[in-house]
Amino acid sequence: MTRTFPPGFLWGAATAAYQIEGATAADGRGPSIWDTFSHTPGKVSGGDTGDVAADHYRGFREDVALMAELGLPAYRFSVSWPRVQPGGRGPANPRGLDHYDRLVDALLEHGIRPVLTLYHWDLPQELEDAGGWGARDTAARFAEYAVLVADRLGGRVPLWTTLNEPWCSAFLGYAAGVHAPGRTDPALALRAAHHLLLAHGLGTAALRAALPAGTQVSITLNLHAVEPASDTPAAADAVRRIDGLGNRLFLDPLLRGRYPADLLADTDEITDWGFVRSGDEPAIAAPIDVLGVNYYAPTLVDGGGTGPDGPSPWPGCADVRFVESTGPATAMGWPIDAGGLRALVHRVHTEYPGIPLMITENGAAFDDLVNSDGAVRDPERIAYLREHLAAVHDAIEAGVDLRGYFVWSLLDNFEWAYGYSKRFGIVHVDYATQRRVWKDSAHWYREVIRANGLKQ
Ligand code: IFM
């Protein structure tokens, strides 16, 4: 049986600036919160930093040639804010923009469609020093930064994404403290979530004014496929709570123009939400053309939680118990279950009708090795991708308006707090030599793209 995708379905691969670029001091780039965090002892596994990463800033032309060999129709990358505005405000640093100018031109020369994310977690450190995402002003700074990039690259980039996974920025960065800037303040995290959403809204309006008509604008969320671990009212309530913080906190203001009432009530002992000003919710709901969805694994919850051992990314959810799945898992320990993806996109399609969806990240880390014959055998990754693509196909057949799929990731890279210990790439990177080796999954993905379908 062959599963054929609709004509025009957009296939691609994704990366992010801090995870692959390296060259953190080149061409006037300023420090970001991830430079500070990764250089703080004990924050990142192995003391790894993004200083060199996959050396893509210097070697981007070779990487674009590799994408062309793979037959990639689209490439999703992010722009490093501190390259464009080293201190997060003021005029653009032209040398920083030059890099993305050259990258976009190289992609277009190879017929690869650029899909640009403005913010994938590398906030200029000076803005963090001024309050970071806890400060309302950061949202206004983001909109100004968006215009600087749009003025240079508009007309050549057809799809723009404001933020990647604001849940992670807010809750891993400001509540759990496991991501930069490493803060552990639940009230600040909720405030940060609002300012991130406001940044998206103000940024979207600014992009619409600066970009040629017909350019698409989007945001990417890491939505949670939350499932109950038991058939009890406590489990159902746990689902509601995690769905509230992980999904509806973002989906509702973006697509319905208001925060969910139950979430505001559940968190009223943490914050009075006084940081939400009149006019903010309509600003956040500025129309978007596509919603990016990143999916890796489902989340299984129940009642009876006794509180986390340390700071939690889930403010006010001490009574929620996160249940470990016993089935197969990736090297991250994340359960493998494509059913979560199927249910998730179906749910968004049903409850938030009318917004086209795109899977902007999906993939898996495994402990890949280069064999003595030079090959990288990664059958588990191929199986993972196959199952998840089948789920995408099922959803399309069921009527979900799903426009594309981007594998995470093109290259092995800096996996945030895990450093270089986790490999998500379909292309292996030897960090000592920067040599790229196609994993079997890269060969397989090339065939999927070529056939615009899956052979079962
Ligand atoms: O590497 C990250 C990426 O930066 C954001 N989404 C999840 C990926 C895997 O953890």
Side-chain angles (χ1 to χ4, degrees):
M1 174 191 157
T2 303
R3 290 172 177 267
T4 304
F5 285 75
F9 186 79
L10 191 63
W11 297 99
T15 63
Y18 191 72
Q19 294 182 272
I20 62 164
E21 286 182 350
T24 48
D27 297 332
R29 178 187 180 279
S32 80
I33 54 174
W34 269 97
D35 296 290
T36 308
F37 191 75
S38 66
H39 280 270
T40 305
K43 297 296 185 192
V44 173
S45 164
D48 293 343
T49 72
D51 291 1
V52 178
D55 203 22
H56 169 82
Y57 188 81
R58 291 195 311 116
F60 76 92
R61 287 192 195 283
E62 288 77 15
D63 287 337
V64 173
L66 185 157
M67 295 175 213
E69 255 185 87
L70 259 168
L72 281 188
Y75 172 54
R76 174 176 181 252
F77 63 96
S78 78
V79 172
S80 158
W81 187 347
R83 287 196 194 283
V84 176
Q85 286 179 303
R89 60 182 85 233
N93 165 34
R95 290 184 297 160
L97 280 171
D98 288 347
H99 170 72
Y100 299 102
D101 208 319
R102 289 189 287 257
L103 173 63
V104 165
D105 278 350
L107 291 167
L108 294 174
E109 276 160 26
H110 285 89
I112 300 168
R113 195 183 304 188
V115 175
L116 183 156
T117 299
L118 284 163
Y119 185 72
H120 197 125
W121 307 353
D122 41 0
L123 187 71
Q125 181 61 45
E126 277 187 34
L127 289 187
E128 179 56 35
D129 297 342
W133 288 111
R136 189 176 173 90
D137 182 58
T138 303
R141 299 285 70 76
F142 174 79
E144 282 179 11
Y145 153 65
V147 171
L148 295 177
V149 184
D151 283 347
R152 180 68 90 88
L153 301 178
R156 283 178 288 159
V157 174
L159 176 54
W160 294 63
T161 302
T162 53
L163 310 178
N164 180 71
E165 301 183 353
W167 181 87
C168 295
S169 299
F171 295 106
L172 299 180
Y174 290 88
V178 294
H179 276 192
R183 304 288 303 272
T184 52
D185 178 340
L188 182 61
L190 290 165
R191 200 182 165 87
H194 176 63
H195 293 147
L196 281 151
L197 283 163
L198 186 61
H200 159 79
L202 300 180
T204 297
L207 286 172
R208 294 280 185 216
L211 292 170
T215 308
Q216 294 197 307
V217 179
S218 68
I219 184 171
T220 278
L221 304 177
N222 58 315
L223 294 177
H224 295 71
V226 199
E227 295 162 15
S230 68
D231 188 16
T232 59
D237 196 55
V239 169
R240 184 186 62 77
R241 298 288 290 271
I242 299 306
D243 180 52
L245 276 167
N247 299 327
R248 290 180 291 114
L249 167 59
F250 299 93
L251 290 169
D252 280 21
L254 286 166
L255 300 171
R256 293 181 177 161
R258 61 184 179 278
Y259 283 110
D262 65 321
L263 173 72
L264 301 187
D266 286 343
T267 51
D268 65 357
E269 284 182 8
I270 301 171
T271 175
D272 62 5
W273 291 80
F275 44 78
V276 181
R277 297 194 191 157
S278 153
D280 284 1
E281 285 163 304
I284 293 168
I288 51 173
D289 302 294
V290 178
L291 175 68
V293 176
N294 292 354
Y295 173 85
Y296 290 87
T299 306
L300 199 59
V301 296
D302 209 334
T306 51
D309 295 338
S312 162
W314 300 103
C317 293
D319 48 343
V320 173
R321 191 160 56 88
F322 290 86
V323 179
E324 280 195 22
S325 139
T326 49
T330 68
M332 298 294 285
W334 297 347
I336 300 175
D337 180 0
L341 176 58
R342 200 179 284 111
L344 188 60
V345 291
H346 208 270
R347 184 266 178 113
V348 177
H349 170 74
T350 314
E351 292 186 22
Y352 303 86
I355 181 76
L357 305 178
M358 199 171 275
I359 304 302
T360 38
E361 285 181 29
N362 175 242
F366 290 104
D367 296 327
D368 307 307
L369 295 172
V370 182
N371 290 347
S372 51
D373 64 358
V376 182
R377 306 274 176 235
D378 59 343
E380 305 100 323
R381 183 173 291 103
I382 294 175
Y384 178 100
L385 296 176
R386 183 194 295 282
E387 273 174 42
H388 287 75
L389 279 172
V392 168
H393 189 262
D394 286 346
I396 294 171
E397 297 271 279
V400 177
D401 185 1
L402 228 169
R403 305 272 175 98
Y405 175 93
F406 288 71
V407 68
W408 183 270
S409 178
L410 175 69
L411 303 171
D412 289 338
N413 60 51
F414 176 80
E415 177 51 26
W416 307 113
Y418 295 88
Y420 298 101
S421 66
K422 304 293 176 199
R423 293 182 175 274
F424 274 91
I426 56 171
V427 173
H428 184 276
V429 175
D430 177 335
Y431 295 110
T433 62
Q434 294 297 342
R435 200 164 83 91
R436 275 65 166 142
V437 176
W438 290 36
K439 301 180 190 177
D440 282 357
S441 55
H443 294 279
W444 176 84
Y445 193 48
R446 177 167 66 177
E447 281 315 298
V448 171
I449 294 170
R450 199 192 50 72
N452 191 34
L454 276 180
K455 287 195 195 89
Q456 294 291 51

